[in-house]
Amino acid sequence: MEKEDIKLLNKGEEEEMDLQGYRLCRWRLALVGFGVICTGGFLLLLLYWMPEWCVKSTCTRTTARDAEVVLLRSTDEFRRWFLARVRVMLAPGRNPFHSLETQTTSPSSPTDPFSSVSPLANGHTPYPSDGSPAQELIKRFADYQPTKIRYFTFHSTKYYWNDELQNFEVLTGLEDLQVDSFTLHSEHSEGLSKSQQEYRRLFFGVNEIAVKVPSVFKLLIKEVLNPFYIFQLFSVILWSADEYYYYAMAIVFMSVISIATSLYTIKKQYVMLRDMVAAHSIVRVSVCRANNDIDEILSTDLVPGDVIVIPSNGTIMPCDAVLVSGTCIVNESMLTGESVPVTKTNLTNPGPAEMGVETDGAYNTEEHKRHTLFCGTDVIQTRFYTGELVKAVVVRTGFSTAKGQLVRSILYPKPTDFKLYHDAYLFLLCLVAVAGIGFVYSVVLSVMNKVSAKTIIIESLDIITITVPPALPAAMTAGIVYAQRRLRNLGIFCISPQRINICGQINLVCFDKTGTLTEDGLDLWGVQRVENGSFFMSEDKACKENLVKSQFVACMATCHSLTKIEGQLSGDPLDLKMFEATAWVLEEATEEETALHNRIMPTVVRPSKQLLPQEPALSPDQDMELCELQSVYEIGIVRQFPFSSALQRMSVVARLLGEKRMDAYMKGAPEVVASLCRRDSVPVNFPKVLEGYTKQGFRVIALAHRRLESKLTWHKVQNISRDHIEANMEFLGLIIMQNKLKAETPAVLQDLHRANIRTVMVTGDNMLTAISVARDCGMIPPEDTVIIADALPPHDGHTAKITWRYTDKPSKTTHLEDVNISLDDVCRVDEPKTQELYHFAMSGKTFAVIAEHFPDMLQKLVLHGTVFARMAPDQKTQLIEALQGVDYFVGMCGDGANDCGALKRAHGGISLSELEASVASPFTSKTPNISCVPSLIREGRAALMTSFCVFKFMALYSIIQYISVTLLYSILSNLGDFQFLFIDIAIILVIVFTMSLNPAWKELVSRRPPSGLISGPLLFSVLTQILICLGFQVITFLWVQQQPWYTVWKPYTDVCNRLANVNESDYNNTEVDDHNIKNFENTSLFYVSAFQYLIIAIVFSKGKPFRQPSYKNWPFVLSAGSLYAFLLFIMFYPFESIDEFLEIVCVPFEWRLKLFFLIIVNAAVSVVVETFILDIVLWKLVFSRDKQGSFGVTPAAPSPQGAIDLRMYRRLLGFCCPKKRIPKARYMHLAQELSVDPDWPPKPTTTTEAKTCPENGSTCQIIMNS
């Protein structure tokens, strides 16, 4: 066995993991058991928290094949550990896709993929470990050798051992067979027998997405075993041992409320998710058997390979299935967030004759999604044959389906990676270190004073419980909960609350164009027809008498995916506008009409009677019926090839009533359509005309047509591939659609630019249209230059190359020769040079070539890339990753249709879907425009600053209390039980839950909050306030001992002259204060420290520029004011009952005035240091460098005021830091490098080629003049 036998699971996928095999070791288990007993169960807790330690301490390494336990580690940035128990399943066969009749009866050989067999003892069949179905099958097939199959379950997915791969793998479904269209039709469209179905169910399990709601007891145990609650339990036991019962009870009360709230929330989320998944998840379905019978079964019994019949009245899909016959209209809003019905057509059967010539490759749900019905989607209508029902082959079941994957991503989310949380743990470790110092100090001091061992242990451990605040998690959560509530009031719904803080760091936002920046609906601006290879003049209408019977209008009327639902036309908005412009009528066959024919009744379109020219009057001799038939002008849509975003086109096969030959019509992106047409039919000036329209921001659709061969019958057309149809077409002309900007778009983008937040357009539309829209909405200012990158992949022995093209000449005031900023300018007193004013634009094809052949160039391009056109959904996700790779915090705003991957990948994805919540996006806005983006960023900044304020406040609260206790320990005293209670409950909890209520600032400012706690200004703030509090407490502690009236306090001590007539003998029977709580030092420190908590709360509760001022937060003002009043009242007008309760003693009035003076000075120093030194000097000095303009990452159209600020900033830096400052963010570092590169940006008429260096295989760039 190799020591490093590490297997890689799910290679290249999101859940990629390393796997190590282990076998249980008895002596190690015994040793660990002994350790658990010795540590009182703490070792067991430690092993529960650390899966890696648990496995390594109880098991020995072995091969993955022989493993009893597997240790998994994710390969992402989080590197999380998991463990899973390997189980054994007995089955009558070894491969789920093999027929039982073909299974061998001999023991399996090592070459069989899923085999792992041991001989059966004495010929007896052992009971299977996975229940009765396998047992029944084994009995039924008694002649077969039962096979042991090893597997483990992780995150609701089963991983089976494959001897061929020597690794565990997931059985997803029919896709594992890599079947092509012909094989799917010929071998998998007949259905499965009952025995085959039961056999496959052993491997694929029950077809259900089971969201198990844990019992309250299980949730309680899991919640209570959280390290924080274990620490609280330790604290409560310690305080009880020290007789701090009230405080211990208060903490227990808080913990119970916290746990109960948490359990209620978690349970509610589980129940909601279960109900959402369970709705329509179990239905009765009709399945086809191999003998042409149709059985009705529960959907839970379905397995990959089953053939199901889709009912004509629709259904909710219980699995992923591929259509093999018929057509379906489907609502996929559950997956995409867009409720526009989608037409699903059957997967074509190319037939054996075409198999060797050209195939569309193996079936894949993503590539063939236009033929796939996804689980959870709503089938609204079906169109079918008589005798040939609408059938679909089950491809995936259970958690392997599209819906199952979405549910898994909700059940097992990735942890949120944010610097704040890393820094919070580091800060807590620092507090623990401080507690350690106090622990040692306490032990040494107690030993020197000969204190009892019990007291030493309790008081030393008590220091640790004081330093780590018990209310910290609840306090940190409060700000996020309040922000989530404010977002909900703004119509923004959040399913990932931890992302709200991250949104406060967003400095770049990607926008989809159609439906996001522009209106959803398109208006037909006009058409421009082509005949004999030449353009006609543009026309504003297509519904004219002379055009009714033209191929151009016929293409507009037929080439779409519209359908009638409850009598209303429904479908893609573009298709709707195009069809409405023809003024034609669409008719669909009813179920009754379909049943009367031997084949599917086509959808028919015809012009309205008003459009048809008037027929001449009939002569008496003419046959009325024949004449009516001749006058009818109808086109039947025989076959439809739906729109594909990858192909950027759609096409239909149609036939005119009375014609023998059929016609093919196609519409799509002009460049794509033109490339599929005969050259002589495409006008010579086509590129120029197209550019003219796209520059004006129009969306242009091209149309094409071809008469099909007469040998193509209806049956042949149903099975022909689209490549045969979409070739050698005749170019018909252009449809020009106007896509208007939403009214809110320009103003919102201007707000983002003012806040130095970059904006990027990511669209599937034409490049020049996208650039035009980017200029119209202000994303690209009029005076800026746009550089289009056109990349070509390697071909014919030539390397990949990029050609640079400038769309517009720079304005007279801007010269690209003056663009480059010298690196010395960052720390130079001289005036800054003109900033770079250029933007890159590229298509999806170019992006793919650059990502593959110019990986170093990609980072430079995304630094100034503003327009990314013709981007496929996966390319949008890759762009987000590329931007994150240079340390941008990326937001993404889309309409949810093609942006699901990008919305998930971005730091803050916000969908403009009409649904209240979308599983595809962390945020969903009910407001269908981009005004939600600044609102989200503002709330994110406010929540982030609230988190900083709360964390700093809680840290200072711990340190202040720690200082008080440490000082009192030196005189063998401590704070009293009710003093702790008053501080922790009345002051801390009230303040911390009200200081989080500050709303967000009304506008976005040009700087961002810091991303972590470990930053200069924040550390400066915390450390200076610690020193101030320490100083004033030490002064108080020492000064009180220097007072002339000071003496060691006794019950009969009377420095206030209260007890003039009372004898000392009266106090002989007074209860002795064992803890020495009542003394002058304690009382003085209690007064000062209580005010310090309030001072720190006000100092840290900052408003502008990220939050509203604290005086607008009336609960906080009321709480702080009431506490100030109460403390001043008990300080200057002592009540004996209150003094007894808080265990404070009476001090002279003069000392109270001195304490009040100390408190005033303390407050003044804290405010001056925090407000003047930190906010005015340090904040601007350190955080100004986060402005993108400071390092060459240009915000659009900088204001004159911004230029003045930049000059002042550079002069200040020239004074403070004569050396060059290297920014932390990768994009800033790149901007610095490019600012001194004389060849950047690339000049016009230059080409960049990729060349492989022979020594290391890396990619080099060569720039040459073309």
Side-chain angles (χ1 to χ4, degrees), residues 770-824:
I771 292 172
S772 173
V773 171
R775 287 199 182 279
D776 290 345
C777 67
M779 196 175 280
I780 300 176
E783 67 276 8
D784 289 9
T785 301
V786 177
I787 306 171
I788 294 181
D790 287 319
L792 293 173
H795 67 286
D796 300 333
H798 298 286
T799 59
K801 65 178 183 178
I802 309 171
T803 304
W804 309 98
R805 183 160 54 93
Y806 281 46
T807 59
D808 298 302
K809 292 181 180 180
S811 61
K812 295 179 182 179
T813 57
T814 308
H815 301 284
L816 282 176
E817 289 75 12
D818 299 332
V819 156
N820 299 317
I821 302 174
S822 169
L823 193 61
D824 295 334

Side-chain angles (χ1 to χ4, degrees), residues 311-328:
S312 58
N313 58 346
T315 184
I316 302 289
M317 285 301 295
C319 58
D320 288 354
V322 56
L323 269 175
V324 289
S325 67
T327 306
C328 292

Side-chain angles (χ1 to χ4, degrees), residues 78-99:
F78 304 105
R79 308 291 288 170
R80 293 172 295 163
W81 291 96
F82 306 95
L83 65 89
R85 187 76 182 268
V86 177
R87 302 183 183 277
V88 177
M89 177 179 76
L90 285 179
R94 297 175 294 274
N95 189 315
F97 297 111
H98 287 174
S99 171

Side-chain angles (χ1 to χ4, degrees), residues 211-272:
V211 179
K212 294 179 181 177
V213 179
S215 66
V216 174
F217 179 74
K218 279 187 178 179
L219 286 174
L220 178 65
I221 295 298
K222 190 175 180 181
E223 189 74 14
V224 167
L225 292 182
N226 184 298
F228 169 71
Y229 288 119
I230 296 298
F231 176 73
Q232 278 198 336
L233 179 64
F234 161 75
S235 303
V236 166
I237 293 169
L238 184 68
W239 293 326
S240 300
D242 201 19
E243 298 178 5
Y244 287 165
Y245 301 118
Y246 293 106
Y247 187 50
M249 285 167 59
I251 291 298
V252 168
F253 178 72
M254 280 200 310
S255 299
V256 167
I257 290 176
S258 177
I259 291 171
T261 306
S262 181
L263 288 184
Y264 173 77
T265 306
I266 294 170
K267 181 92 173 177
K268 186 180 176 183
Q269 287 174 346
Y270 269 110
V271 170
M272 284 176 64

Side-chain angles (χ1 to χ4, degrees), residues 308-476:
I308 59 174
V309 178
I310 311 297
S312 58
N313 58 346
T315 184
I316 302 289
M317 285 301 295
C319 58
D320 288 354
V322 56
L323 269 175
V324 289
S325 67
T327 306
C328 292
I329 311 296
V330 184
N331 184 339
E332 292 189 327
S333 60
M334 195 282 297
L335 291 177
T336 64
E338 189 172 299
S339 56
V340 174
V342 180
T343 302
K344 301 283 185 174
T345 57
N346 62 299
L347 188 70
T348 53
N349 182 7
E354 300 176 43
M355 281 306 295
V357 184
E358 185 182 354
T359 65
D360 55 356
Y363 169 78
N364 179 279
T365 51
E366 185 58 37
E367 292 178 14
H368 297 86
K369 62 183 178 183
R370 282 293 183 179
H371 312 295
T372 306
L373 303 171
F374 292 102
C375 179
T377 58
D378 186 5
V379 178
I380 303 168
Q381 283 183 359
T382 61
R383 298 179 191 168
F384 55 91
Y385 309 82
T386 301
E388 291 187 50
L389 299 172
V390 178
K391 297 179 184 177
V393 179
V394 177
V395 179
R396 294 179 175 184
T397 57
F399 277 101
S400 296
T401 61
K403 183 178 178 180
Q405 295 293 337
L406 282 173
V407 174
R408 283 181 73 243
S409 68
I410 297 170
L411 282 174
Y412 313 106
K414 273 191 173 184
T416 308
D417 182 31
F418 191 38
K419 197 168 183 289
L420 170 66
Y421 305 121
H422 292 295
D423 290 354
Y425 287 122
L426 286 174
F427 214 90
L428 282 175
L429 285 175
C430 292
L431 290 179
V432 170
V434 171
I437 296 169
F439 178 85
V440 174
Y441 163 80
S442 175
V443 170
V444 171
L445 194 66
S446 300
V447 169
M448 288 172 63
N449 286 282
K450 297 181 180 179
V451 178
S452 65
K454 178 188 174 184
T455 308
I456 291 175
I457 293 169
I458 290 174
E459 291 192 347
S460 302
L461 292 175
D462 197 30
I463 284 281
I464 297 172
T465 67
I466 287 169
T467 315
V468 181
L472 181 61
M476 292 289 284

Side-chain angles (χ1 to χ4, degrees), residues 509-567:
V509 184
C510 295
F511 291 98
D512 181 37
K513 183 180 78 70
T514 308
T516 304
L517 296 173
T518 60
E519 295 287 354
D520 239 336
L522 292 164
D523 296 319
L524 184 74
W525 181 84
V527 297
Q528 191 155 8
R529 295 182 296 120
V530 169
E531 274 189 24
N532 301 322
S534 299
F535 275 114
F536 280 97
M537 294 294 290
S538 61
E539 301 163 90
D540 59 349
K541 288 183 181 178
C543 52
K544 297 179 180 178
E545 278 192 18
N546 63 324
L547 297 180
V548 170
K549 296 187 178 182
S550 67
Q551 297 291 3
F552 187 91
V553 171
C555 186
M556 290 177 68
T558 57
C559 198
H560 52 72
S561 56
L562 300 177
T563 186
K564 277 194 173 180
I565 298 174
E566 297 179 358

Side-chain angles (χ1 to χ4, degrees), residues 92 94 103-109 112 115 117 143-147:
R94 297 175 294 274
Q103 302 284 344
T104 177
T105 58
S106 61
S108 62
S109 61
D112 194 16
S115 64
V117 174
D143 296 334
Y144 300 105
Q145 174 71 46
T147 304

